[in-house]
Amino acid sequence: MKVVCEEHVEPKTFLQKYMNEDATIMEYFEYPLNTDGLIERYEDVNKRSYDRSGLIEALKNFNAQFTDDKDTFSQIDRIKMDNSVVVVGGQQAGLLTGPIYTINKIISIIHEASVIERELNVPVVPIFWIAGEDHDIDEVNHTYFHQRSTTRKLVLKERNDLKIPVSNRQIRMEEGKQLINEGLKFLKETPYIKKLYESLMNDLKEDVTYVDWFAKIIHRIFKGTGLVLMDAADINIRKLEKPYFKEMLENNDEIRSSFYEVAKKFKDSGFGEPIEIDKSNAHLFVHDQGQRFLLEKDGAHFREKNSGRKWIISELLEKLEGNPDHFSNNVVTRPVMQDKLLPVISFVAGPGELKYWATLKKVFHSSGITMPLVYPRVQIAFLSRRTEKNLAWMNKSPHDVTMNGVESEKIAWRKENTPIEISDPFDKLKKEMEKSLDNLATELQPLGDLQFIHERQREIIANDLILYEKRINKYVENHQMFALKKFDEVAVEIKPEGNLQERYLNILPFLNQYGPDAILGLLKDLHKEKTLVGKFLYVYL
């Protein structure tokens, strides 16, 4: 395994400005990205109190459903220590772990927890927050496998008109098994495919939720790292969150105005609108009959956005008291809830998350706390040995492909390796044929009105020439296919459908090729790196 590290892939981005601590960006964040900022944040966290006992019980109960890894439970136990803190990041529970960026985020969480622990000499626990409360099923019900020059979309058909949290969305056992068979039949048979197949099938001894299946696979991939998983929709977590939901309901006007003020300034400064700006948005969801509905604030009333149902605050507080699982956070209040619940030293964010966190500083302040350090996660592109050889043949770097793709090089190679432009002689023949057909029509005029016959034969000859040209092109393509496939394979692995690898492909085809411990091997190799914050890695497997 070889790792090539780059500071940034794309210049002049919000991410790069943040990493360079541009003053126009940093005013939206709490702490500088240096040791002083880390120490200041740690001191701020240590001034606060947390329900560590309740948190430990909830985390143990949840993780015990999916793993017996002693390292995970050892990390959970360390939360008892008053000086312990956590590095946290989260994502939706994607099908078969979803896009690779989820794996990359977990790598960042584990690595940064280790780095901060060495730097501060205090216990630092890596926690991955599964967004099980999210209901957008279209974001999690599919994934993409790749094999050489092709990709395969694996999808579970779901009703997207139902706003059911993915923690409660059931995957039927038979449908899950059918998906596994489809996906693994698409992949190349390797020494690891049998074990991969068996482990996935063993996950499905009964119907499972998206969160359950996600948690089982993630715990296998990261076994021995001490990773702790947490489901935002876990009933035991909801019980711990009850007093904070109460605060968010009672303090809703200030939360809304704080977000609106900063988000508008952010937009007016030219940074865009990462979260829709809506003055009436209460930034909380209420759950009813298994579905999730966004609340708005209308004077003294909270209102369900679509149906118009209304509640006064006392009614919602009464509902909260008996059923804390009937409430959940949106993108604005979730970070605050996370910080109220956990002793967060730093949050690991994707590039998109970094921008929306920039609008939340005053929301944290309105809740009586400071915003944690925000560390951009590492971006990783995994490269197979075949792709490494193809890149060398093309004389291209993976960075070039990431930025520009390979289509222009593919066209240039084909042009260079085709002795003549195939269309030229055919275009010449078409012109000569048209002239000859016109002359023939003139010579046959004494025979009578033959226009219909002439036009029909002209059409037949034109179509025959088109077919002739296509056959010549196909002949040339077949002789060039081996070389052209190299371009396609590189594109599929590094820039599939014009996307970054991490935003499109799934990690399991790589684990099928290089073994279930490939990610653990990478983490071991990265241990010597001081930080991965904001970096882009090319990992040659």
Side-chain angles (χ1 to χ4, degrees):
M1 185 179 292
K2 179 178 72 173
V3 178
V4 176
C5 180
E6 294 196 7
E7 293 299 320
H8 305 284
V9 168
E10 299 179 64
K12 299 181 181 178
T13 59
F14 188 85
L15 170 61
Q16 187 186 50
K17 289 180 179 179
Y18 180 71
M19 292 304 300
N20 292 335
E21 299 196 69
D22 185 311
T24 62
I25 300 292
M26 296 311 291
E27 68 171 295
Y28 294 99
F29 294 89
E30 199 83 55
Y31 304 98
L33 298 175
N34 55 30
T35 301
D36 290 341
L38 185 64
I39 292 170
E40 184 183 355
R41 173 60 185 175
Y42 180 73
E43 291 173 349
D44 286 345
V45 171
N46 263 351
K47 294 173 186 174
R48 294 165 54 193
S49 59
Y50 304 88
D51 185 354
R52 292 177 182 267
S53 299
L55 190 58
I56 289 168
E57 183 179 359
L59 292 176
K60 282 188 173 181
N61 286 339
F62 179 73
N63 284 269
Q65 298 174 65
F66 313 110
T67 186
D68 58 0
D69 185 359
K70 64 181 186 341
D71 294 293
T72 290
F73 295 99
S74 175
Q75 286 283 19
I76 294 172
D77 281 334
R78 298 208 303 164
I79 296 173
K80 290 178 187 175
M81 305 177 193
D82 290 338
N83 65 337
S84 68
V85 291
V86 308
V87 172
V88 66
Q91 205 71 50
Q92 293 136 312
L95 181 63
L96 299 176
T97 73
I100 288 174
Y101 58 58
T102 297
I103 301 299
N104 294 348
K105 183 173 284 186
I106 296 174
I107 289 170
S108 283
I109 292 167
I110 294 168
H111 186 272
E112 294 311 318
S114 175
V115 168
I116 294 171
E117 179 156 332
R118 291 197 300 268
E119 190 160 354
L120 296 182
N121 195 29
V122 297
V124 183
V125 179
I127 295 182
F128 185 81
W129 176 296
I130 305 171
E133 60 198 7
D134 281 2
H135 61 265
D136 193 344
I137 191 64
D138 289 337
E139 292 189 7
V140 300
N141 72 330
H142 66 278
T143 194
Y144 292 90
F145 278 13
H146 76 287
Q147 180 63 38
R148 294 203 175 176
S149 62
T150 57
T151 59
R152 173 72 60 87
K153 183 178 183 179
L154 304 176
V155 60
L156 291 172
K157 292 181 180 179
E158 296 277 5
R159 285 186 59 181
N160 60 8
D161 59 321
L162 299 176
K163 299 181 178 182
I164 302 171
V166 295
S167 277
N168 299 330
R169 281 263 189 182
Q170 291 285 330
I171 298 173
R172 291 176 56 201
M173 177 178 66
E174 289 307 316
E175 289 181 2
K177 289 183 176 181
Q178 185 177 347
L179 184 95
I180 294 167
N181 282 319
E182 179 188 352
L184 296 197
K185 282 179 182 177
F186 172 71
L187 298 181
K188 178 184 176 182
E189 188 165 340
T190 70
Y192 308 108
I193 198 165
K194 183 180 179 183
K195 184 177 180 181
L196 177 61
Y197 176 82
E198 289 173 350
S199 62
L200 291 171
M201 283 296 189
N202 285 336
D203 292 339
L204 298 172
K205 293 177 180 177
E206 58 186 1
D207 294 353
V208 294
T209 69
Y210 279 82
V211 168
D212 291 345
W213 202 7
F214 176 89
K216 289 178 181 183
I217 300 171
I218 289 294
H219 263 310
R220 278 200 301 273
I221 292 174
F222 290 94
K223 187 175 179 65
T225 64
L227 177 68
V228 178
L229 299 183
M230 172 181 159
D231 178 13
D234 181 6
I235 181 59
N236 294 314
I237 293 296
R238 282 285 180 260
K239 290 175 182 177
L240 296 176
E241 291 174 341
K242 184 162 70 172
Y244 311 129
F245 276 120
K246 183 173 184 290
E247 289 177 12
M248 289 174 180
L249 288 167
E250 293 175 338
N251 192 36
N252 197 261
D253 289 345
E254 192 171 350
I255 289 173
R256 289 186 300 108
S257 63
S258 296
F259 169 72
Y260 181 83
E261 178 187 332
V262 179
K264 189 174 185 306
K265 178 184 175 183
F266 190 76
K267 182 180 179 180
D268 292 344
S269 298
F271 297 124
E273 190 176 341
I275 304 173
E276 182 183 358
I277 301 172
D278 179 356
K279 276 187 175 181
S280 64
N281 192 334
H283 305 296
L284 293 169
F285 286 88
V286 64
H287 296 225
D288 184 46
Q289 296 182 358
Q291 296 195 67
R292 187 171 181 247
F293 303 97
L294 184 64
L295 289 174
E296 294 181 329
K297 187 77 188 298
D298 180 17
H301 288 87
F302 286 88
R303 181 181 63 215
E304 194 269 294
K305 184 173 182 178
N306 295 317
S307 73
R309 289 180 298 171
K310 290 183 178 181
W311 300 266
I312 58 175
I313 190 168
S314 60
E315 291 173 325
L316 288 179
L317 291 176
E318 183 179 351
K319 184 181 181 71
L320 173 67
E321 183 61 34
N323 302 100
D325 56 322
H326 286 193
F327 293 83
S328 61
N329 299 105
N330 84 335
V331 69
V332 170
T333 55
R334 184 185 295 153
V336 175
M337 181 64 81
Q338 183 175 268
D339 211 74
K340 290 277 189 176
L341 193 64
L342 305 169
V344 181
I345 184 79
S346 67
F347 175 78
V348 174
E353 287 175 302
L354 182 66
K355 289 192 79 172
Y356 81 64
W357 270 70
T359 66
L360 301 181
K361 182 177 175 180
K362 196 168 181 182
V363 176
F364 276 85
H365 292 179
S366 73
S367 302
I369 55 179
T370 54
M371 188 167 77
L373 276 162
V374 182
Y375 285 154
R377 66 166 172 79
V378 67
Q379 294 176 277
I380 302 176
F382 295 92
L383 306 178
S384 65
R385 288 158 206 167
R386 189 177 182 89
T387 290
E388 182 179 6
K389 290 177 182 177
N390 288 340
L391 285 168
W393 174 80
M394 294 164 56
N395 195 27
K396 292 276 288 182
S397 73
H399 176 80
D400 290 339
V401 179
T402 299
M403 297 301 292
N404 305 307
V406 299
E407 193 59 30
S408 59
E409 283 78 9
K410 182 180 177 181
I411 292 169
W413 184 91
R414 188 176 177 194
K415 187 174 182 180
E416 183 181 334
N417 288 273
T418 305
I420 62 169
E421 183 60 49
I422 294 171
S423 61
D424 288 347
F426 281 95
D427 289 342
K428 182 180 177 181
L429 178 58
K430 287 171 189 175
K431 290 176 183 177
E432 291 174 352
M433 192 69 72
E434 286 289 329
K435 186 176 179 180
S436 296
L437 288 171
D438 288 340
N439 291 337
L440 180 61
T442 300
E443 290 182 23
L444 295 175
Q445 273 182 350
L447 298 176
D449 186 5
L450 303 173
Q451 185 66 25
F452 174 76
I453 297 174
H454 289 318
E455 291 304 320
R456 177 60 183 148
Q457 292 305 126
R458 190 188 299 270
E459 184 181 341
I460 292 171
I461 291 169
N463 287 336
D464 283 345
L465 282 175
I466 291 170
L467 182 59
Y468 188 4
E469 185 175 354
K470 283 183 177 178
R471 285 175 174 170
I472 296 298
N473 273 307
K474 187 67 176 175
Y475 172 84
V476 173
E477 283 178 8
N478 287 340
H479 279 70
Q480 295 177 342
M481 187 181 296
F482 180 75
L484 293 175
K485 283 281 187 184
K486 293 182 179 182
F487 290 98
D488 295 339
E489 289 176 16
V490 168
V492 161
E493 192 162 289
I494 301 178
K495 201 74 179 287
E497 299 297 325
N499 300 283
L500 290 178
Q501 179 197 93
E502 67 170 10
R503 302 198 64 81
Y504 198 82
L505 299 183
N506 185 281
I507 195 64
L508 294 185
F510 287 109
L511 300 187
N512 174 57
Q513 195 167 1
Y514 297 104
D517 296 334
I519 299 300
L520 298 181
L522 174 60
L523 278 165
K524 185 177 179 181
D525 285 356
L526 293 176
H527 185 72
K528 61 182 180 296
E529 295 287 337
K530 186 174 181 183
T531 183
L532 299 179
V533 172
K535 293 185 176 179
F536 196 107
L537 306 182
Y538 292 101
V539 176
Y540 295 82
L541 294 164

